[in-house]
Amino acid sequence: MGERMYQVFVYGTLLVGEENHHIVAPYLRKVQPGKVKGWLYDVGAYPALVVSGDGYEVIGEWLTVTEEGLKRMDELEDYEEGGHHNEYERIWIKDSEQDIEGYVYVYPADQAAHLPLIPSGSWRKDRKEKS
C-alpha cells in the first residue's frame, strides 16, 4: 500500500517559486494549475482567500503532497484541526474548471472585510505589478 496523498489548492507563498514553497517541496509529488471561486485579499506579506460562489476566479496551483507535507502546511498556516484560534481554516473545495478537488486554507470573511481586495485574483500577478 502506498503513501496517502492529499491535493491542496495554494494561492500565495506556497506557490512554486514563492518564499514558503521550500516548506512543502520535499513532500510534493505533483503540481497543476488551478482556479477556485472566491475573493482574494492582501494581508501584506501573504494573501487570504474567502471562498464564494459569487466570487471571481482565484488563480493558484494544486499541489499533491504526502501526509507529512499536509502537516507542514498546517503548521505554516497555523491550522489545528478543531482549533478555536486558527488564523485559517482548512476546507474541501472543487476546482472551478477541472475535475480536481481537495483542501484549501481560507480566511474568515469577517476578518477579510477590511483588507484590500486583489482585483486580478492572482497574488503573483498583483505582487509583480506592485514591484
Side-chain angles (χ1 to χ4, degrees):
M1 201 170 106
E3 212 173 358
R4 180 128 191 232
M5 295 294 158
Y6 297 88
Q7 296 200 126
V8 184
F9 182 79
V10 299
Y11 50 86
T13 66
L14 284 165
L15 291 164
V16 172
E18 297 299 335
E19 66 185 283
N20 284 324
H21 184 73
H22 70 277
I23 291 167
V24 75
Y27 314 102
L28 188 60
R29 299 297 177 260
K30 187 177 178 185
V31 179
Q32 326 174 226
K35 293 177 182 173
V36 299
K37 287 276 191 194
W39 304 105
L40 198 59
Y41 295 90
D42 188 348
V43 183
Y46 53 91
L49 172 67
V50 174
V51 171
S52 169
D54 300 334
Y56 53 49
E57 299 280 326
V58 174
I59 299 156
E61 293 167 347
W62 285 99
L63 305 183
T64 304
V65 299
T66 64
E67 191 161 3
E68 186 61 29
L70 186 66
K71 283 182 191 165
R72 300 294 169 127
M73 293 166 92
D74 283 350
E75 288 167 13
L76 174 70
E77 303 296 356
D78 226 359
Y79 170 79
E80 187 182 322
E81 205 156 341
H84 299 291
H85 304 291
N86 294 340
E87 182 177 13
Y88 285 84
E89 287 303 320
R90 191 179 74 200
I91 65 165
W92 196 258
I93 195 167
K94 293 181 184 210
D95 190 275
S96 60
E97 294 180 348
Q98 311 168 75
D99 190 22
I100 303 174
E101 56 186 273
Y103 289 118
V104 66
Y105 295 92
V106 295
Y107 211 68
D110 58 337
Q111 288 180 36
H114 71 281
L115 296 168
L117 194 64
I118 297 173
S120 66
S122 168
W123 184 69
R124 203 179 253 158
K125 185 178 175 199
D126 186 66
R127 285 183 49 241
K128 276 190 183 127
E129 288 170 2
K130 286 179 178 169
S131 62

